[in-house]
Amino acid sequence: MNAEHWSDPENDAIVAVYFDMLQQSLGRSKGSIEFKNCNISAALIGFGLPHIGGYQPRFNFQMALAEVVSRWLARNPSFETASAAKMHPGFAEASPLFSGVPPTMKNAPPLAELSQIEAIARRFDVAGRDERNRSLGKAGEERVFHH
């Protein structure tokens, strides 16, 4: 998280988002908009993407919302690439050994979330998206190698 002052481009972007939300929110309450953003967070988790922490995921969303997210991702393929780079920045210094209470071995979302995530996975071609990401990564590596 950046503790510095917001830059002009960051302020421009956030104000644009605000005005876009203001124009789109006619007839919707503040709570309704916040709840929908929580649903978007849940859909992004279903796609294996990061979400805004302030909008805690609520997994009881319409499948149409996941379809909208899928269409947005198809129109903005650079988002997944940039997100992957932020989530996995590459080589880093090894973290110190963990000392404390060992973590649990459970590596699955709670049951309430599992059915929604499975519904998204059944509806969308996750393997196809993975293949596109791999080919994009390979093309990037080849470009760097030839450069």
Side-chain angles (χ1 to χ4, degrees):
M1 180 175 237
N2 188 357
E4 300 293 319
H5 291 291
W6 285 56
S7 67
D8 284 341
E10 289 172 325
N11 281 327
D12 290 341
I14 198 74
V15 168
V17 167
Y18 184 91
F19 277 108
D20 188 43
M21 286 178 62
L22 185 61
Q23 290 174 338
Q24 299 295 324
S25 67
L26 299 176
R28 298 289 182 172
S29 70
K30 175 185 176 268
S32 174
I33 293 169
E34 184 172 344
F35 199 88
K36 186 59 81 171
N37 281 314
C38 292
N39 291 147
I40 294 169
S41 289
L44 290 175
I45 289 172
F47 282 100
L49 296 170
H51 66 283
I52 297 173
Y55 295 119
Q56 292 303 312
R58 300 196 180 223
F59 287 88
N60 55 340
F61 57 87
Q62 299 167 309
M63 193 52 70
L65 185 62
E67 291 171 2
V68 172
V69 169
S70 178
R71 285 194 307 268
W72 190 91
L73 291 170
R75 288 189 311 268
N76 300 279
S78 61
F79 177 81
E80 287 184 273
T81 306
S83 296
K86 287 180 185 174
M87 291 173 65
H88 309 287
F91 296 108
E93 197 171 307
S95 59
L97 291 174
F98 178 79
S99 60
V101 178
T104 63
M105 298 304 289
K106 185 176 179 184
N107 191 18
L111 292 177
E113 300 172 3
L114 184 60
S115 63
Q116 290 292 335
I117 291 173
E118 287 175 345
I120 292 171
R122 281 192 303 272
R123 191 116 181 203
F124 298 99
D125 185 11
V126 178
R129 188 182 77 190
D130 186 50
E131 175 60 32
R132 289 188 303 275
N133 287 343
R134 287 176 191 268
S135 65
L136 178 63
K138 183 178 180 189
E141 289 173 3
E142 288 177 358
R143 179 172 172 85
V144 168
F145 177 76
H146 291 296
H147 182 64

